[in-house]
Every structure is written in structure tokens, then in C-alpha cells.
Amino acid sequence: MTELQGRVLKNYNGYYYVSVENSIYTCKVKGRMKQNRFSLVTGDLVSLSPGAAGEGMITQVLPRKNFLPRPTLANLDLFVAAFACAAPDFSFLLADKLLTLAALARIPALLVLNKEDNAPVGLIDKIKAVYEPIGYEVYTLSAKNGTGVEALRQRLRGQICAFGGPSGVGKSSTINAIDSSVALRTGAVSEKIGRGKHTTRFAQLLPFDEGYIADTPGFGNLLLEGLEPQQVQQAFREFALYEDGCRFCPCTHTHESVCGVKEAVQDGRVAASRYESYLAMLQEVRDLKRNL
Ligand SMILES: Nc1nc2c(ncn2[C@@H]2O[C@H](COP(=O)(O)OP(=O)(O)OP(=O)(O)O)[C@@H](O)[C@H]2O)c(=O)[nH]1
Ligand SMILES: [Mg+2]
Ligand SMILES: [Zn+2]
């Protein structure tokens, strides 16, 4: 029988679920492929030989348009960095880490702030003031009350997009609100520590309006393993505007005496939170490398 091509929607219980037109094939990987090292993740396009009863063997992974290491996905049009306005509290550092990972994978990203029904006064304006001027769209919503859901639905239609963010921010709740035909499991946030309970256990692409939305497991912390200091610098794309004012080239914008980026932080052209994230991430990447 001839080979088919399809997209991996999820990897679950040892099977890859591959969508081919309107059918789903439950697949294993062909032995020949296993002999070579291969990487096969949710979102990958594959060739498969169909067997009986909707089963199949994956024979080949097709070239990727892009690859996001965390959460692990391939071939995205858009990444949604999902956060809550409260419970768990918004973290500028985590937001900057997620946006960095997307930027390094060359995947366009936007910020989503859920639980606007619980937002502390002024928080949403503060977040928008940091991210909108540097080119990130910010969508606010309440999956619980339904506010803001329609605008996000319109933005995501027809694309292959993935939600990533801390556990408990309401990624699954938001996807349920955007598409009433899915019913993802959601879980309470611990009242004592305000953290999610890792309800979603695996990434999966859900068909949505000619495209897909991926739900992914939330994280507690996000380590920047395997990154180089230069990559961190590169991801803070607004810094490049001020590098003309740096005496040294390259400049790390840390200890150097004359630095255009530090000047821009001082007079507010670069957001203080972005610069703090930059310093923390640079330190983390250096520490991780030292401990290898
Ligand atoms: N107040 C409020 N609570 C919400 C909202 N959206 C979701 N929640 C609650 O937040 C909790 C976590 O929601 P989930 O959708 O499971 O969060 P998640 O991001 O998918 O979490 P993980 O799967 O663990 O990564 C649940 O108790 C939801 O009811 C909202 O807009 N407002
Ligand atoms: Mg979830
Ligand atoms: Zn500098």
C-alpha cells in the first residue's frame, strides 16, 4: 500500500497519533528508523505505511519548519506564552524565558494573561507597557467569565499554535473556552502556595478552525539548559537599538563602563524588568555551563 503523510498530534502510551486528512492512525516507529538516532515530536510531519484497523508504521520524519525544545513541539506558526494575572502570580522572568525560547526557535510569540477577573489593580497596564512597545501582542482574558475569549479565538484561527506556561495559569481552561468542542481536564491551584498541580500530562495538538491548538503540560520552573550567553543577548531584541552607545564590542551590558543599553535602562527606554530578566538569565546560563 502507498505511504501516507500526516501530522503527529500526540505521543501517548507508546503510540504516536498521526492525523491524515480526516483519520487518525495509531503508529509505532519502523525498526529501520530506530537504528539511526531519530527525533520525533508532537507537531512533526511524517510518512507512514498504513496497516490494518487504523494502525500504521512511521517510516520517516519530514524536514521541520522549526523546533521548540520546551515545551517540545515542531512546526509551529505561533507560540502563546500563557500566564495568569494571579494564582499563580505573573512572573516577568518566566515570561522573558518563554519568549526567549520562542525567539531562538524563530517562532512568533504573543503573551496571554488569563484570570483577568482576579487581576490586581494596575498589573495588566504594567505588563502591556513592558511588552507592547517591543512588539509583543498582549491578550487578556478570563476563561472563567468568557471576557476576551473571542478576540483570542480570532487571532488563533487557521494557525498551528501552542500554549506554554506555568502550571495552573489556565492553559487548558483557555483552550476549552476558545473551542467548546474540546473538554480538556483542568485542575485546581493549590490554595496554600498558589501553584498549579500539573494537571495536563502530555502535549497534544487539537484541530481548531483549519489549524491546530496545542495544549502542553505546565512547568514549575524553566531551566535554560544548553543555551549560550550570546543567545540570551540575541533574544532581548530591543537591546540592539541602543548598542551604538556601547564602548566595547561585543558588550555584555553588565560590567562595562560605557554601555548604551545600561543608559537606556536608566532613563526608562528599556524596561527595568527586561534588564533584570536579562541579568538573571545570563547568570543562569553561565552557571549551568560551569556545572556541566
Ligand atoms: N479565577 C479564574 N480561575 C481560572 C480561570 N481560568 C482557569 N481558572 C482556574 O485555574 C485552575 C487551573 O486551570 P487549568 O486550565 O487546569 O490550568 P493549566 O494551565 O492547564 O495547568 P496545567 O495543566 O497544570 O499546566 C483551575 O482551577 C481553573 O478553574 C479564570 O479565568 N479565572
Ligand atoms: Mg492544563
Ligand atoms: Zn552595552
Side-chain angles (χ1 to χ4, degrees):
M1 211 168 164
T2 52
E3 296 233 316
L4 303 172
Q5 292 192 349
R7 188 179 299 276
V8 176
L9 301 189
K10 63 180 173 183
N11 172 6
Y12 181 67
N13 268 350
Y15 284 95
Y16 293 93
Y17 290 72
V18 181
S19 150
V20 179
E21 283 158 22
N22 292 324
S23 332
I24 307 269
Y25 288 82
T26 354
C27 298
K28 292 267 187 196
V29 170
K30 188 109 177 154
R32 183 158 46 81
M33 228 173 96
K34 283 192 199 155
Q35 285 158 17
N36 304 313
R37 279 180 59 182
F38 72 95
S39 156
L40 182 49
V41 304
T42 299
D44 263 324
L45 291 167
V46 296
S47 297
L48 63 97
S49 5
E55 299 204 337
M57 292 303 277
I58 293 173
T59 54
Q60 197 189 159
V61 184
L62 303 179
R64 289 173 179 157
K65 165 169 140 175
N66 53 46
F67 173 74
L68 189 66
R70 275 151 295 175
T72 315
L73 295 158
N75 300 320
L76 297 178
D77 296 325
L78 181 67
F79 180 71
V80 176
F83 289 87
C85 296
D89 290 346
F90 182 78
S91 156
F92 283 94
L93 177 58
L94 281 180
D96 291 328
K97 284 184 167 184
L98 266 187
L99 295 175
T100 291
L101 292 174
L104 293 176
R106 298 180 188 283
I107 299 166
L110 54 81
L111 261 184
V112 160
L113 303 174
N114 184 33
K115 310 198 190 186
E116 66 178 358
D117 52 288
N118 267 344
V121 177
L123 178 73
I124 290 173
D125 288 342
K126 193 170 146 194
I127 296 170
K128 285 187 170 176
V130 171
Y131 293 101
E132 287 181 342
I134 56 172
Y136 287 109
E137 297 161 76
V138 180
Y139 283 80
T140 65
L141 80 145
S142 166
K144 186 174 154 189
N145 296 344
T147 54
V149 171
E150 183 55 30
L152 186 58
R153 181 186 293 131
Q154 292 305 329
R155 179 67 178 85
L156 304 185
R157 38 192 308 197
Q159 305 197 60
I160 302 180
C161 68
F163 279 62
S167 178
V169 299
K171 297 178 294 301
S172 304
S173 304
T174 300
I175 296 166
N176 285 342
I178 286 175
D179 183 352
S180 55
S181 72
V182 297
L184 298 166
R185 209 160 71 80
T186 63
V189 169
S190 141
E191 285 202 8
K192 231 179 16 208
I193 52 172
R195 289 216 195 119
K197 295 180 177 164
H198 301 281
T199 307
T200 302
R201 293 291 176 174
F202 56 90
Q204 64 173 322
L205 290 178
L206 305 150
F208 169 66
D209 207 355
E210 311 287 312
Y212 293 93
I213 300 183
D215 190 16
T216 67
F219 50 81
N221 197 356
L222 189 61
L223 279 181
L224 298 174
E225 282 155 331
L227 253 59
E228 295 295 329
Q230 297 88 304
Q231 290 181 295
V232 173
Q233 205 159 325
Q234 193 189 323
F236 283 74
R237 53 192 183 188
E238 74 270 34
F239 289 8
L241 293 172
Y242 308 106
E243 281 172 349
D244 276 354
C246 300
R247 178 181 293 163
F248 303 96
C249 182
C251 176
T252 64
H253 322 309
T254 55
H255 60 276
E256 294 87 351
S257 51
V258 179
C259 169
V261 172
K262 283 200 282 186
E263 275 168 31
V265 175
Q266 251 146 35
D267 62 27
R269 284 170 295 155
V270 163
S273 69
R274 288 280 287 173
Y275 185 64
E276 282 163 26
S277 292
Y278 169 72
L279 293 181
M281 288 165 61
L282 203 57
Q283 190 61 48
E284 179 184 320
V285 165
R286 287 178 175 155
D287 290 347
L288 284 168
K289 270 178 79 105
R290 204 168 298 133
N291 295 335
L292 275 183

mmCIF file of all heavy atoms in Angstrom, residues 243-249 251 257-260:
data_model
loop_
_atom_site.group_PDB
_atom_site.id
_atom_site.type_symbol
_atom_site.label_atom_id
_atom_site.label_comp_id
_atom_site.label_asym_id
_atom_site.label_seq_id
_atom_site.Cartn_x
_atom_site.Cartn_y
_atom_site.Cartn_z
ATOM 1 N N GLU A 243 22.799 49.595 21.221
ATOM 2 C CA GLU A 243 24.177 49.103 21.272
ATOM 3 C C GLU A 243 25.191 50.068 20.648
ATOM 4 O O GLU A 243 26.380 49.964 20.919
ATOM 5 C CB GLU A 243 24.273 47.701 20.643
ATOM 6 C CG GLU A 243 23.783 46.646 21.622
ATOM 7 C CD GLU A 243 23.645 45.246 21.040
ATOM 8 O OE1 GLU A 243 23.735 45.112 19.794
ATOM 9 O OE2 GLU A 243 23.430 44.315 21.827
ATOM 10 N N ASP A 244 24.689 51.007 19.868
ATOM 11 C CA ASP A 244 25.577 52.046 19.334
ATOM 12 C C ASP A 244 26.283 52.798 20.454
ATOM 13 O O ASP A 244 27.384 53.300 20.272
ATOM 14 C CB ASP A 244 24.753 53.073 18.530
ATOM 15 C CG ASP A 244 24.533 52.589 17.110
ATOM 16 O OD1 ASP A 244 25.116 51.540 16.762
ATOM 17 O OD2 ASP A 244 23.765 53.233 16.381
ATOM 18 N N GLY A 245 25.609 52.873 21.594
ATOM 19 C CA GLY A 245 26.174 53.615 22.724
ATOM 20 C C GLY A 245 27.117 52.793 23.602
ATOM 21 O O GLY A 245 27.534 53.255 24.660
ATOM 22 N N CYS A 246 27.426 51.553 23.190
ATOM 23 C CA CYS A 246 28.338 50.716 23.986
ATOM 24 C C CYS A 246 29.766 50.947 23.489
ATOM 25 O O CYS A 246 30.023 50.902 22.287
ATOM 26 C CB CYS A 246 27.986 49.236 23.832
ATOM 27 S SG CYS A 246 26.318 48.827 24.381
ATOM 28 N N ARG A 247 30.692 51.189 24.436
ATOM 29 C CA ARG A 247 32.070 51.437 24.022
ATOM 30 C C ARG A 247 32.733 50.161 23.514
ATOM 31 O O ARG A 247 33.513 50.171 22.575
ATOM 32 C CB ARG A 247 32.877 52.018 25.175
ATOM 33 C CG ARG A 247 34.344 52.238 24.779
ATOM 34 C CD ARG A 247 35.178 52.786 25.927
ATOM 35 N NE ARG A 247 34.794 54.130 26.311
ATOM 36 C CZ ARG A 247 35.145 54.690 27.473
ATOM 37 N NH1 ARG A 247 35.852 54.009 28.340
ATOM 38 N NH2 ARG A 247 34.775 55.916 27.755
ATOM 39 N N PHE A 248 32.429 49.050 24.175
ATOM 40 C CA PHE A 248 33.083 47.785 23.806
ATOM 41 C C PHE A 248 32.189 46.979 22.863
ATOM 42 O O PHE A 248 30.971 47.041 22.962
ATOM 43 C CB PHE A 248 33.394 46.973 25.061
ATOM 44 C CG PHE A 248 34.252 47.726 26.028
ATOM 45 C CD1 PHE A 248 33.676 48.428 27.080
ATOM 46 C CD2 PHE A 248 35.630 47.785 25.859
ATOM 47 C CE1 PHE A 248 34.452 49.160 27.957
ATOM 48 C CE2 PHE A 248 36.425 48.515 26.735
ATOM 49 C CZ PHE A 248 35.835 49.206 27.794
ATOM 50 N N CYS A 249 32.851 46.249 22.002
ATOM 51 C CA CYS A 249 32.092 45.427 21.059
ATOM 52 C C CYS A 249 32.795 44.073 20.930
ATOM 53 O O CYS A 249 33.939 44.045 20.479
ATOM 54 C CB CYS A 249 32.011 46.110 19.694
ATOM 55 S SG CYS A 249 31.041 45.164 18.531
ATOM 56 N N CYS A 251 29.633 43.841 23.742
ATOM 57 C CA CYS A 251 29.406 44.334 25.102
ATOM 58 C C CYS A 251 28.365 43.415 25.744
ATOM 59 O O CYS A 251 27.383 43.059 25.089
ATOM 60 C CB CYS A 251 28.873 45.756 25.019
ATOM 61 S SG CYS A 251 28.433 46.491 26.610
ATOM 62 N N SER A 257 31.950 49.919 31.350
ATOM 63 C CA SER A 257 31.770 51.271 31.905
ATOM 64 C C SER A 257 30.845 52.138 31.044
ATOM 65 O O SER A 257 29.946 52.785 31.561
ATOM 66 C CB SER A 257 33.123 51.947 32.082
ATOM 67 O OG SER A 257 33.844 51.839 30.871
ATOM 68 N N VAL A 258 31.030 52.114 29.751
ATOM 69 C CA VAL A 258 30.145 52.932 28.907
ATOM 70 C C VAL A 258 29.258 51.988 28.096
ATOM 71 O O VAL A 258 29.741 51.249 27.238
ATOM 72 C CB VAL A 258 30.956 53.838 27.956
ATOM 73 C CG1 VAL A 258 30.010 54.653 27.088
ATOM 74 C CG2 VAL A 258 31.874 54.744 28.755
ATOM 75 N N CYS A 259 27.962 51.987 28.406
ATOM 76 C CA CYS A 259 27.069 50.987 27.795
ATOM 77 C C CYS A 259 25.728 51.627 27.457
ATOM 78 O O CYS A 259 25.009 52.116 28.334
ATOM 79 C CB CYS A 259 26.888 49.819 28.766
ATOM 80 S SG CYS A 259 25.588 48.682 28.277
ATOM 81 N N GLY A 260 25.399 51.632 26.170
ATOM 82 C CA GLY A 260 24.156 52.238 25.708
ATOM 83 C C GLY A 260 22.923 51.556 26.266
ATOM 84 O O GLY A 260 21.893 52.209 26.509
#
